[in-house]
Amino acid sequence: VKVAISGTPGTGKTEVARVLRDRGHKVKELGALCADRGLLRDIDEERGSYEVDIEELDEAVRELENHIILVGHLSHLLTVDMVILMRCSPSVLRERLVRRGWSEAKVRENLEAEACDVILFEAIGHPRVFEIDTTRLCPEEAADAVEAILRGETEKYTPGNIDWSEEVMGWF
Ligand SMILES: Nc1ncnc2c1ncn2[C@@H]1O[C@H](COP(=O)(O)OP(=O)(O)OP(=O)(O)O)[C@@H](O)[C@H]1O
Ligand SMILES: [Mg+2]
């Protein structure tokens, strides 16, 4: 099976991927795959990020072995058997993104995306979508949650349990 680990930047995809790799899972970061295969297209000056053609990326992913965890904020758009979304409360996510030295505008754009469930909505329609709230988890605990989902212990992780609206209403 191919599993996508997606989520807003800073929700901890790369950290959980590192732990899963250490535990023997086959893991591929899509950012690295895109760079290796020359799939990074026009740079979006405003965002300081590259555009990627999802079809081209899907093509590249199809050539990979079938038993793999694909990690990246576009992975939920690919042909995969399961999507696992990493979530993080916007207030904690803010701290993580500010610590990266990101501009206020870039931090804000991503907090809005997380607060509004943008990636969840993009993933809706996929038959197997799960969410992990990493706000109070260390990467090892997040990896435990991923492994539980892979074992089929999915009850706690079905979409609908994570809701940042209360926190966001506090901003107004
Ligand atoms: N579970 C966690 N608990 C505390 N801090 C974390 C956790 N996971 C990640 N972090 C921290 O948050 C920051 C972002 O994590 P990470 O790089 O894994 O995010 P990402 O989802 O891969 O982001 P991107 O989409 O930009 O690659 C890092 O500084 C990392 O140390
Ligand atoms: Mg990452």
Side-chain angles (χ1 to χ4, degrees):
V1 290
K2 283 197 168 79
V3 176
I5 294 185
S6 189
T8 308
T11 49
K13 299 180 294 295
T14 296
E15 283 294 308
V16 80
R18 177 180 54 77
V19 176
L20 290 168
R21 198 177 282 117
D22 287 349
R23 292 183 185 178
H25 295 269
K26 177 85 188 166
V27 179
K28 190 85 194 171
E29 280 271 358
L30 294 180
L33 182 71
C34 288
D36 289 350
R37 304 288 176 88
L39 298 180
L40 299 176
R41 296 287 173 242
D42 300 340
I43 188 158
D44 179 335
E45 297 284 355
E46 214 173 300
R47 292 207 173 93
S49 59
Y50 288 92
E51 285 169 13
V52 171
D53 183 328
I54 297 299
E55 294 294 320
E56 280 186 327
L57 180 55
D58 209 27
E59 198 71 35
V61 160
R62 225 166 285 155
E63 291 165 17
L64 300 177
E65 65 191 277
N66 208 37
H67 213 74
I68 197 164
I69 300 175
L70 303 164
V71 177
H73 68 285
L74 301 174
S75 62
H76 60 286
L77 301 173
L78 301 173
T79 309
V80 292
D81 302 291
M82 182 189 289
V83 174
I84 301 176
L85 302 181
M86 309 299 283
R87 305 299 305 267
C88 182
S89 100
S91 57
V92 170
L93 187 60
R94 165 178 284 282
E95 290 169 25
R96 293 189 194 173
L97 296 179
V98 167
R99 217 182 300 137
R100 280 182 169 183
W102 281 12
S103 72
E104 182 57 29
K106 198 168 172 185
V107 169
R108 212 188 148 77
E109 180 183 357
N110 286 291
L111 294 185
E112 283 175 7
E114 180 61 17
C116 298
D117 306 325
V118 166
I119 292 188
L120 176 61
F121 279 107
E122 287 179 0
I124 267 174
H126 194 288
R128 289 163 93 194
V129 181
F130 304 103
E131 300 188 288
I132 300 170
D133 181 356
T134 71
T135 308
R136 285 175 195 81
L137 302 185
C138 65
E140 287 72 20
E141 291 169 321
D144 292 344
V146 170
E147 288 182 325
I149 293 169
L150 295 178
R151 284 195 302 271
E153 299 162 19
T154 56
E155 319 86 72
K156 285 193 288 185
Y157 306 104
T158 50
N161 293 319
I162 297 172
D163 177 8
W164 308 133
S165 60
E166 207 166 310
E167 180 181 321
V168 170
M169 286 316 288
W171 301 353
F172 297 97

